[in-house]
Amino acid sequence: VDKELQAQDLKKYVEYWLAEESGLDAIELEWIEYMMEHCSEFNTLNTFHRYARNYEDRLKYFAEVLKRAGNVGAAATEFAVYTEPCWQQSNIEYVMSMLHSGLRGGLYWCLQAVKMTDPTWLYLGKGGDFWFNPPYEEEKWMETRQFYEFSLFTRYIPRHSKVLETYSPDKDVRIETIVSPNGDYTVFVESKASKFPKSVEVKFSDKIGKTFYKHVYNPNINKPDGNMTVPAVEKEIAVGDTLRDTIGTDYQLVCYTTIPSYKQIKLNQTKLTVPMDGSFKFEATTVDCEGEIVWEIVASDGVPCMLSNDGTISAAELTRSGDVHCIKASLKDAPEVCSMALVKFS
């Protein structure tokens, strides 16, 4: 394969990820050692699977992996924590442990569960072979809490970013700092629930001289509602060489970033059924942006319905019961900023 890729001048587009091991700790480490010894000519990334564990144990294991991976590096191509978000164990603290250790990345299992409810035993407690469980039930097509757990990481850590060494003397606070290829800074602070608010002070080795935007994911507040809205800006903080702020008492992930905020639109409904002789008026709220909202029907299961300029939808003369229509709300001057809803007539 490698020779064929070279012959077609395609090897520059390909990476070999080895050994994709999923087993006992000792076996995984032995496989990485084997690949580094016998396949170093091809190996561009050592990959492994890792579930559960607590933060401290995971850091120790990642250190053993990276020691054997050398300058090739390593990434977890399967990871997941299925418990409700908390300080002891969550997808948030898992990502924080990967950032702290210096892994090159991680792939969440199961990826589809980030955007839609997973029908498998992993989330709903069903037994059996999850590959052959029943298909998605229509009413469960909604983003899960996992989307919100990851949303600040995936939105504000651009690819090819670097993790800066960050030290936290507080055992109830985890802090990681990232700098992007464009020179933007992002600081993540994972804070354990406490009786009193925490004062946070992050000192940079050099003067930053930028404005940081504060976003907060709080599992008690950010609940799935169909919109898939990344937590909005709560405040702006001017930073010279020190970032200072106060964090609330709940368990939460706080993101301070110099990256411009993600522009979004939030709808009052994203999936609904409208009576054939009735109507429904959508309401759209802009998030971290402003502008005129325009409405359009972008897809229809049958004859297009009627949609007015103020977002009111109703059945047309030939609309059939059971027809499903996709409604889009977007900014007039920035159509890429949009949100969609599914409407079924009955």
Side-chain angles (χ1 to χ4, degrees), residues 52-100:
R53 304 298 179 89
N54 60 47
Y55 181 83
E56 289 74 18
D57 287 347
R58 203 180 303 117
L59 289 182
K60 293 176 183 177
Y61 180 74
F62 288 166
E64 292 298 319
V65 168
L66 292 170
K67 182 168 65 176
R68 290 161 174 78
N71 58 7
V72 172
T77 46
E78 279 189 26
F79 81 92
V81 176
Y82 303 119
T83 57
E84 291 292 324
C86 64
W87 175 260
Q88 289 77 16
Q89 195 173 78
S90 72
N91 287 308
I92 292 171
E93 62 87 13
Y94 200 119
V95 175
M96 294 293 279
S97 71
M98 290 193 290
L99 291 172
H100 190 81

Side-chain angles (χ1 to χ4, degrees), residues 293-311:
I293 301 292
V294 294
W295 300 88
E296 61 180 314
I297 303 170
V298 293
S300 291
D301 194 21
V303 177
C305 57
M306 297 178 65
L307 180 65
S308 63
N309 291 334
D310 68 352

Side-chain angles (χ1 to χ4, degrees), residues 94-120:
Y94 200 119
V95 175
M96 294 293 279
S97 71
M98 290 193 290
L99 291 172
H100 190 81
S101 298
L103 295 186
R104 282 180 53 183
L107 295 176
Y108 178 72
W109 179 271
C110 298
L111 183 60
Q112 90 277 8
V114 175
K115 294 189 176 181
M116 296 177 288
T117 301
D118 184 359
T120 73

Side-chain angles (χ1 to χ4, degrees), residues 18 32 36 43-48 65-66 68-75 102-105:
L18 308 172
I32 293 175
M36 290 298 294
N43 193 3
T44 52
L45 184 65
N46 293 287
T47 60
F48 61 94
V65 168
L66 292 170
R68 290 161 174 78
N71 58 7
V72 172
L103 295 186
R104 282 180 53 183

Side-chain angles (χ1 to χ4, degrees), residues 135-150:
Y136 289 109
E137 298 176 30
E138 185 176 339
E139 65 271 16
K140 293 177 181 175
W141 280 65
M142 183 181 289
E143 85 279 20
T144 65
R145 63 172 170 78
Q146 283 84 356
F147 168 81
Y148 296 98
E149 290 178 67
F150 292 122

Side-chain angles (χ1 to χ4, degrees), residues 33-309:
E33 292 176 349
Y34 181 89
M35 292 300 170
M36 290 298 294
E37 181 179 353
H38 298 281
C39 304
S40 58
E41 179 183 354
F42 308 104
N43 193 3
T44 52
L45 184 65
N46 293 287
T47 60
F48 61 94
H49 303 171
R50 180 59 33 179
Y51 290 86
R53 304 298 179 89
N54 60 47
Y55 181 83
E56 289 74 18
D57 287 347
R58 203 180 303 117
L59 289 182
K60 293 176 183 177
Y61 180 74
F62 288 166
E64 292 298 319
V65 168
L66 292 170
K67 182 168 65 176
R68 290 161 174 78
N71 58 7
V72 172
T77 46
E78 279 189 26
F79 81 92
V81 176
Y82 303 119
T83 57
E84 291 292 324
C86 64
W87 175 260
Q88 289 77 16
Q89 195 173 78
S90 72
N91 287 308
I92 292 171
E93 62 87 13
Y94 200 119
V95 175
M96 294 293 279
S97 71
M98 290 193 290
L99 291 172
H100 190 81
S101 298
L103 295 186
R104 282 180 53 183
L107 295 176
Y108 178 72
W109 179 271
C110 298
L111 183 60
Q112 90 277 8
V114 175
K115 294 189 176 181
M116 296 177 288
T117 301
D118 184 359
T120 73
W121 59 270
L122 294 175
Y123 292 96
L124 303 185
K126 296 179 180 178
D129 189 339
F130 67 84
W131 294 114
F132 299 100
N133 267 325
Y136 289 109
E137 298 176 30
E138 185 176 339
E139 65 271 16
K140 293 177 181 175
W141 280 65
M142 183 181 289
E143 85 279 20
T144 65
R145 63 172 170 78
Q146 283 84 356
F147 168 81
Y148 296 98
E149 290 178 67
F150 292 122
S151 63
L152 291 174
F153 292 122
T154 56
R155 175 55 55 182
Y156 295 112
I157 303 181
R159 61 181 179 177
H160 305 309
S161 295
K162 294 181 179 180
V163 180
L164 303 181
E165 186 175 1
T166 307
Y167 168 72
S168 171
D170 190 334
K171 61 182 179 61
D172 292 335
V173 173
R174 300 179 183 122
I175 302 178
E176 299 298 336
T177 306
I178 290 89
V179 59
S180 76
N182 293 331
D184 279 303
Y185 288 85
T186 299
V187 178
F188 290 102
V189 179
E190 183 188 9
S191 178
K192 186 178 181 180
S194 59
K195 293 182 179 180
F196 304 100
K198 296 185 180 75
S199 295
V200 175
E201 183 175 287
V202 181
K203 294 184 68 67
F204 295 89
S205 58
D206 298 312
K207 184 176 181 179
I208 302 299
K210 294 185 177 183
T211 297
F212 281 73
Y213 304 96
K214 177 182 178 180
H215 306 258
V216 179
Y217 166 66
N218 185 327
N220 297 323
I221 297 175
N222 302 102
K223 303 288 187 179
D225 63 2
N227 276 285
M228 298 179 68
T229 306
V230 179
V233 172
E234 291 197 356
K235 64 187 293 188
E236 298 181 10
I237 304 173
V239 175
D241 61 359
T242 304
L243 188 158
R244 295 182 178 89
D245 192 33
T246 300
I247 294 178
T249 58
D250 289 345
Y251 170 73
Q252 58 195 282
L253 175 70
V254 184
C255 170
Y256 303 95
T257 181
T258 62
I259 297 175
S261 304
Y262 181 46
K263 299 177 181 180
Q264 304 169 92
I265 293 175
K266 189 172 183 177
L267 300 178
N268 57 335
Q269 291 282 350
T270 60
K271 185 176 181 296
L272 70 155
T273 299
V274 177
M276 290 292 292
D277 59 352
S279 64
F280 179 82
K281 187 178 186 302
F282 284 103
E283 295 178 2
T285 303
T286 55
V287 179
D288 292 334
C289 62
E290 296 179 349
E292 180 184 349
I293 301 292
V294 294
W295 300 88
E296 61 180 314
I297 303 170
V298 293
S300 291
D301 194 21
V303 177
C305 57
M306 297 178 65
L307 180 65
S308 63
N309 291 334

